[in-house]
Every structure is written in C-alpha cells, then in structure tokens.
Amino acid sequence: MSVEKWVYGYHEVAAAEDHLDGDWEAVRGLLGGKGANLGEMTRIGVPVPPGFTVTTRACNAYLATGEQFPSGMWDQELAAMKEVEEQSGKEFGAPANPLLVSCRSGAKFSMPGMMDTVLNIGLNDETVKGMVALTGDERFVYDAYRRLIQMFGSVVLGVSDQPFEHVIEETKTANGMKDDTELTADDWKAIAARFGEIIKEEAGIDFPQDPYVQLEMSTEAVFKSWNGKRAIDYRNAAGIDHDLGTAVNIVTMVFGNMGETSGTGVAFTRDPANGEKVLYGDYLMNAQGEDVVAGIRNTKPIAELEQDLPKAFSEFVDICARLEEHYKDMQDVEFTVEQSKLWMLQTRTGKRTAKSAVKLAVDMADEGLISREEALLRVTPDQVDALLHPQFDPVVKATKPLLAKGVNASPGAAVGQLYFDADTAERMAKEEGQDVIMIRPETRPDDVHGMLAAKGILTSRGGATSHAAVVARQFGIPAVVGCDELNIDLDDRSVMASGTLLREGDHVSVDGSTGEVFSGKIPTVHPRFEDQGDLIILLEWADEIAYQEGIRDLPEGSPTRGLQVWANADYPQDARRARAFGAKGIGLCRTEHMFFEDERLPIVQRMILSKDETERQTALDELLPFQRADFEGVFEAMDGLPVIIRLIDPPLHEFLPSFEDLLVDVTQLRMDAKRVGTDAGRTLLSDTLSAKEKMLGEVEGMRESNPMMGLRGIRLGIILPGLIEMQVTAIFEAACNQALKGVDVHPEIMIPLTGHVNELNAVQPKLEKAALRIMREKGIEINYKFGTMIEIPRAALTADQVAETAQFFSYGTNDLTQMTFGYSRDDAEAKFLLEYVEQGILPENPFQALDQEGVGKLVAMGVELGRRTRPDLEVGICGEHGGEPSSIEFCHRAGLNYVSCSPFRVPIARLAAAHAAIKRPALVV
C-alpha cells in the first residue's frame, strides 16, 4: 500500500495540481495559501528561497490521532530537508556552512498572525560559531540566535514573552540605549545566554541543541496552533471552517539584518485602504520580518526603499506587477533583501477595506484584468454596508483639539471608552455593552479577541502593515497605529498625549480615515451615497446583471425579468432616499405608521371608540386628506416606478394607550382622589379619572389573548369596511391627482393577512369598485393592481386559489416565520432563540436569515402554485429578509421579481441580487 504524500517541495506544485485534477482551490486546500503561492512563484521564476510544505492533511491527521505525526510524514520531512540542502548548498546542523530554516503556518485562507512561526531553526552553540566565521558579523549572528531561543520558548514551550522582553529593555536601560539596533554583539551574546536560562527556569528543559529536535518540535507547535484560542476566535469572526487545518512551511532563512545592504518589508501592490494604484507598505533596514509586522519598531514607507536599495527596489516593483497580473488581484507580499539580493517570502490576496475593495473591483474591470462579473463577486455585501457607515460630523470635528495623529491604518469613525488590554476590552464590550477603543503600544496575535470586540483600535507603535493594521482592515474596524505622541503607561492604565492625561474608561474618538485621535465624543453622520462614485458604477453593473440574468424567462408582461431591489418606505422622504440608493420601486408602504403622528392620533382614537357608523365615518372623513397628502408625496417621489401600499395591518388597540399603563393611571388617580381636600380638586380628579376609566374599559374590551393572530389585517377590513375603503379612496385620489400633473403613477394595493381566498373575495371587489369610481370622477385612468400579503402558511399552501383574485403576492416573511415556527418573535429572541443558535439547534436566527428549508418551502410552493393560475403573477418579499444576502439568493432561485428592504439596505441588496444571478444555482424545494 502506497504511503500518502505528506510533503511537497516548492518545485512540486505542478505535481500537486496534477494530482488534484488541475483544481487550484484544492491545491490551496492541501498546501495552504502560503505554500501554494510559494510554489507558484517558484514555478513562474520569482526568486523564492528553497523550501517545502507539510500538508494540511498531515495537520488534521496529527490532531485527530492524539497529536501524533501520521505514518511516513517525518521521514518525508527529513528527505525534503536533504533536497533543500542540495538546492541551497548548505547543510542543516553543520557548523561550517549551516542551513537555517523558518517554520511557518499557512492555512487555505489567510489568517495573518493567528498561528505560529519560528525563525532561525538550526542555530545552536556550535553553528553560531560557524555563522560568525562565515559572515564575519558576530552581532548579526547572536541577534539571530536570541530570536530563535525567544520564539522557540514562546511558541513551542509556551513561555511568556514578558521575561524575554524585560531582559532586552533592562539591557538597553543599563547602557543608555533607546533602540534594539544600538545593542552590540556582546549585548546580544549575553541576552541569548540569559534567554536560555529563562527557558530552563520557565519550561524546565534546556533549549534543544539538536537542530532536528528544533524542527520537529516547531512543526508540532504550528500544527497545534491551529486550535489556539486566537486562531479559533479569528476563524469564528471571519467565517472560516474549523476543519481545514494548517500546512507547515519550512523555508530557507534569508536575513534582512545583515547590515546596511539588507532589509525586510511587507507591501501591497495597491493601497489596501483606498484602492489607489500605488505600492503601499513598510520596510526596515537591517531587520527581520517579524520586526515589521509586530509593530515593535516604527517603519519606513516602501517608496523610500528606492533610495536605500535602488536595484532591489526596481526588481521588487517589476515582481509586484508580475504577481498582480498573474493572480489578477491586489497582492500582499513579504520580502527580504539579504546583502542586496531580493527574495520573495510570500504573496497572497491582500486584505482590503470596503472603500478599497470597491475601487479595486471597478478599476481592475476597467483595466481588462477581470470581468464585470468577477468585479461584482470581489465585493461583499458587508463591504458595501461598511462603506456607508457613519463618519464624524466635520463641523463638530473641526472644533475639537487634536489629541494625536498616526497612520490611518483602517478607515471609519469610532467612538468609545479606552481599555488597555484585550481581555478587559472584550469583557467590557460583551458583558457591559460598552463601545470600546482598545489601546496598546502594539497588538499581538493574542490580542485578536479584544480587537474583534472593539469599535476602534489605537497603537503607539507600528506601521501600515503591522498586525493591528492588517486585522483591523480585514474586519472593518477603524484603526490608527504608530501614534508616537501617545505615551502609554500599561501599569497605570493611562495615556498622556498633547498635555492631556486619559485614564481607562475615558472616551476618545478615532478617525481611521485620517489617522486622527480626539479626546471625548464626536457625533457621526451618514456619508452621502451620491459621493460614492465607484460604488455607484459597481451597483449599476449589479442591476444590469441581476435584471438580465434572471433564472427563468418570465412571460411577457411581467414587471421584471430578474430580481430587482425595491424598498420599504412610509413617507415621501423615505421614498426619495430609497430612490437615491437605487430602489426600483416601493415594496411596502405601511399606512398605519402615518396614523401615529400627533395631529392624526386623536382622530384615529375617536374613530376606534365611535359608537355608531356616523361618528366613525366623520372621523374617517377627517383622516382621508392626511392619507391622500401622504400618498401624493410618495407617488411624486417614485415617478415612473411601482408603489405597493399596504392597507392597515395591526389590531386597533395598538393606537390606544396600553392597558397596563391605563391601569396604573386609574389606580393612582383613585388613591389621589381620597387625599384631595378641595371641591375643585376633587372635580378635576373625578373628570380625569372618569375619562381614564372609560378608556380602560374600551381597551380592555379590545384585548386579545394573541393579538398577532386576532382582529387585524383583512379581518379588520371585513369587520370595519369603511376604514380600508377610506384608505383606497385616499390612494386613488392621490394617484389620479398626481397623474393629472404628469406624474407616472403605478399604485399597487396590498391587502394583508389573507388566510382564505374567500376573505379576499369579500373585500377586493368592493375596493376595486371604489377605485373605478374615483377614476371616473377624476376623468383619468391609471394602471393599478390589487394583491395580497402572504403571511399565513395556509395562504401559501392554497396560493393557486388566492391567485385567482390577487394580482400580485408579497411575502411578509417576518409573520410567516412566526407562524411557521410557532414562535412569538419578541418572546423567542428574549428567552431561547439565541441559545438555540449557540447550541446548534438552529443554524441561525430565522428572523435574520430566511429559513430556506421550512419557510422557504412555503415561499417557493406559493410562487409555483400562484403562477400556475396567473403566469404573470408579480411576487416579492417585504420582510426584513429582503435585505439579507443569503435570503436574497434564495429569492432569486425561487423566481421572485423583487425583494424589498429598508432604504439603507438597498445598495447591499442590489449587490447581493447580482451575486445570486452570477452564481445562478438551481432551486431545490
């Protein structure tokens, strides 16, 4: 039986691809993103140090078998080391010409800093002597040796970094030094010796002198780091599966700390913050890569490398262009220059902000690098959401004194309370519900849980490619890094800047777009959609694709031939905003919301409490002009587009004071009446009490055991027909008035809560007669429809019958979900629903993402049945699911004509609709 191949050299990436039938995603899954890309760079002739990858399958096998290497893996790793020796011309563990390697993680999806790395493996008390003789640079060698001991101690043996860092700081202080670069060879030699003692003291073992033991233990440590807390937290936040495992990459060491012709850096082929086509990144001369990403030294911008190392910089620029052309995306690269020789250590698809994602997608499509479809898929709905997040009010911001300024690492506005460590930041955010700004000298991978809980991140050290910057950009957290003015005292839990002392819990405002930090709170404003040029272009492409690429060819006369995005809007200003965001219609205009305004509510209450039809009709006649004016404004705002207006839906008692509040008031007034001493006071109290008691009696008479399933919607229209007839009159008078002014009106009247077609048959014909009467009176005909809201399972199950009367369906998925599950939404979310999701009983909250297996079956069934009866039936949804991407994809597959959501969700829904059309999955019911 053949032994599985656990190890692939970088020159073997083609063999791995052949083994996996040319599936590059499978190659990335097997070798991890880092290993696959190092192999690919080797294949296309980019200078990569010799090395190999231990597969993710080996990691999963190791973790599944009680942390034992799978059979044959270690032998293959030893054989691969021999090949690296041949390729490099060096020997692992030999004092004369020692080979040193790094051991790095590399999962399929990038998880920057979340798993472990060990550098300079192969150094020991003997090989350091050979390295000194070989390089003639004792300082460099002992700096490298102490790094190995420190990283091995913290990564492999679990020793805290603090005692190691304390030794370095103590040495610098004793010698009057500020930076690590000032330490001498003797200093590093003494520090390395002390580090060995720390390992003995803390871990109870000697630092291993056998290079192969170092390699074996480091490989295990990287495997184990897959299940480390920070890696799990990161995967949870990024939506990465926990069963992928990490590969291990063993790479020949190249050194950026070999003097003034050496350096190391991290760069992006375009600006990951704003998408501009310019190299963006940091580097350090005479340093190793960890110094850049850890943020322990403030870095130099990548453009200055042209002055420091012009030949290497020129080659680097050419390679970046080649990599972007090859991968057809912005690349995040790591490099080292060793004595003027450039080596590429990594390339991967770069993490980017929302603004950058949109600009990159549009620019690369315009450049012909990718198609428009690919451009749309490059941007996520969450990124569109983030792009439209609030920003600081510029007027108020201009009045605030600047506290500090640093690198604008991740854009956005964040206001919160300062906390100085990740555990406290997470606790205050989750347990106390505070908005948190996490402040640190620099962040480490172990801080990721606090970073994810924070509204903003602030550091005094680090650059644009430091750990804090990369993580913040990926998760859309505003961040300012490298603020030199911040004098952070972790022990005192305070920070001094610009003469201002701030303590833990104080408020600050962080502007990640400008790199500015302010004391106190600055209010935010929503950015203008009209100013988002690249996003507007992208969403125009989205509309074209979502509309033209619908899954089914609908009959001629259908309102759409794909999935459009409409909006829920109750007032003219909402409708104007929705249209500005790109909505193609109003999918839900709730008439009852208009009744709650101060000047109207007393009339509504009078109508509800009236004792006869005459009194009720008088109140309805007073309400009609208000309703008509509302609808005129909405029709004008949506000139040329459809407007679906839902007739009154909630039970009437919702327009009256609550029973509980009235009961308290009556009880208090009765007690007060006993204490009042004057006749005038008693009379006043008596009148008030009488009115309250009367209202209490009326409300009590209207109380229902289950109002959601009681007298509301179409049932209310049957019992009180005058109410909905008034609303239809207002709608058609408004529509005709606007049509006479030249406005292109398309009213669609939605009758809510139909459960049986006979209910619709009892109501709709009367309303249609009212519509015809008004059009005759106005002397104009307009296009209109009457339809119903499908919120009750029975209506979906008998949709073929309902469609005989209804000319369109709109799924009210909020109520349909409640009735399908048998949940009261408020009670369920307050009492058990969150726990259901946490325990895996439900995959997600069905009120946030449509339950496709249950509620979705009813939707799909209703669409199919309804169109059997009425082939041109217009169907949409107008619940909260209309703005949720996975629900939108389902609606596309089910053949709906539109989704309707809040105006602010319209841009997100437009992109999600295009994603659904591009993917074009088949519907499974």
Side-chain angles (χ1 to χ4, degrees), residues 563-575:
L563 188 67
Q564 288 190 337
V565 177
W566 298 8
N568 303 338
D570 302 332
Y571 301 99
Q573 63 267 32
D574 295 332

Side-chain angles (χ1 to χ4, degrees), residues 683-710:
T683 299
L684 179 62
L685 269 177
S686 177
D687 291 345
T688 305
L689 177 59
S690 177
K692 290 278 188 179
E693 287 177 331
K694 180 181 178 183
M695 180 67 78
L696 179 64
E698 296 286 353
V699 171
E700 186 173 19
M702 292 184 181
R703 292 183 79 195
E704 296 176 298
S705 299
N706 190 345
M708 193 195 89
M709 302 178 77

Side-chain angles (χ1 to χ4, degrees), residues 822-835:
Y823 293 165
S824 162
R825 176 174 183 172
D826 291 342
D827 292 332
E829 290 187 327
K831 300 289 179 61
F832 63 85
L833 200 52
L834 181 61
E835 194 167 338

Side-chain angles (χ1 to χ4, degrees), residues 215-478:
L215 180 66
E216 182 179 16
M217 294 178 71
S218 297
T219 301
E220 287 198 76
V222 172
F223 280 165
K224 290 175 183 176
S225 71
W226 175 255
N227 284 334
K229 182 182 185 303
R230 65 182 188 243
I232 291 172
D233 287 344
Y234 187 95
R235 292 198 296 272
N236 285 336
I240 297 173
D241 290 339
H242 293 291
D243 59 357
L244 299 177
T246 181
V248 173
N249 289 282
I250 307 300
V251 189
T252 300
M253 285 296 305
V254 290
F255 297 95
N257 56 339
M258 291 187 72
E260 294 310 310
T261 60
S262 302
T264 188
V266 177
F268 295 81
T269 55
R270 304 196 190 199
D271 191 326
N274 60 32
E276 293 294 332
K277 193 172 183 179
V278 59
L279 277 179
Y280 175 98
D282 308 283
Y283 74 101
L284 287 169
M285 296 299 292
N286 196 20
Q288 284 198 276
E290 293 301 305
D291 297 338
V292 177
V293 297
I296 59 177
R297 286 170 59 186
N298 286 343
T299 53
K300 301 173 72 172
I302 193 69
E304 294 183 16
L305 186 63
E306 186 173 15
Q307 282 75 49
D308 287 335
L309 296 168
K311 184 179 177 182
F313 180 77
S314 177
E315 184 183 3
F316 178 69
V317 170
D318 290 343
I319 288 173
C320 285
R322 286 176 59 194
L323 291 174
E324 187 171 277
E325 175 68 27
H326 182 77
Y327 287 102
K328 302 189 183 306
D329 203 350
M330 178 186 75
Q331 294 298 290
D332 169 6
V333 300
E334 295 180 14
F335 68 93
T336 286
V337 181
E338 180 184 84
Q339 295 180 327
S340 299
K341 167 65 177 173
L342 174 67
W343 295 98
M344 301 302 293
L345 305 182
Q346 175 167 282
T347 189
R348 59 189 174 192
T349 300
K351 306 296 182 188
R352 61 205 68 187
T353 65
K355 182 178 182 180
S356 177
V358 172
K359 181 167 180 56
L360 285 169
V362 172
D363 285 355
M364 287 184 173
D366 286 344
E367 293 165 17
L369 199 61
I370 58 176
S371 66
R372 287 185 175 183
E373 288 81 2
E374 179 62 28
L376 287 162
L377 293 174
R378 291 274 176 93
V379 180
T380 68
D382 284 344
Q383 286 171 324
V384 173
D385 188 22
L387 192 59
L388 300 174
H389 277 177
Q391 301 169 352
F392 287 135
D393 184 330
V395 176
V396 178
K397 179 182 169 182
T399 68
K400 296 288 187 180
L402 184 66
L403 185 70
K405 187 171 176 65
V407 178
N408 51 333
S410 182
V415 180
Q417 293 173 260
L418 285 174
Y419 290 99
F420 289 79
D421 68 89
D423 291 339
T424 305
E426 182 183 48
R427 185 177 74 254
M428 300 310 290
K430 290 186 175 180
E431 297 179 11
E432 303 298 327
Q434 292 185 7
D435 290 340
V436 165
I437 304 294
M438 194 176 88
I439 180 170
R440 300 283 296 163
E442 71 276 333
T443 65
R444 297 172 178 268
D446 288 339
D447 294 326
V448 69
H449 58 293
M451 299 172 73
L452 295 173
K455 297 293 183 184
I457 297 165
L458 188 56
T459 73
S460 59
R461 297 199 287 261
T465 56
S466 63
H467 174 264
V470 172
V471 172
R473 278 196 295 270
Q474 178 175 8
F475 291 103
I477 306 168

Side-chain angles (χ1 to χ4, degrees), residues 611 668 745:
K611 295 303 181 186
Q668 185 64 51
V745 296

Side-chain angles (χ1 to χ4, degrees), residues 154-205:
S154 61
V155 169
V156 179
L157 302 177
V159 178
S160 169
D161 266 332
Q162 188 173 353
F164 296 116
E165 293 296 334
H166 179 71
V167 170
I168 295 174
E169 293 302 317
E170 191 177 60
T171 304
K172 288 192 294 187
T173 301
N175 291 285
M177 300 171 179
K178 182 180 178 182
D179 296 323
D180 292 2
T181 53
E182 299 176 76
L183 292 167
T184 66
D186 287 339
D187 292 330
W188 286 127
K189 185 184 292 187
I191 288 170
R194 181 70 188 103
F195 280 7
E197 294 170 0
I198 289 172
I199 284 183
K200 181 70 172 178
E201 293 163 5
E202 299 290 334
I205 65 169

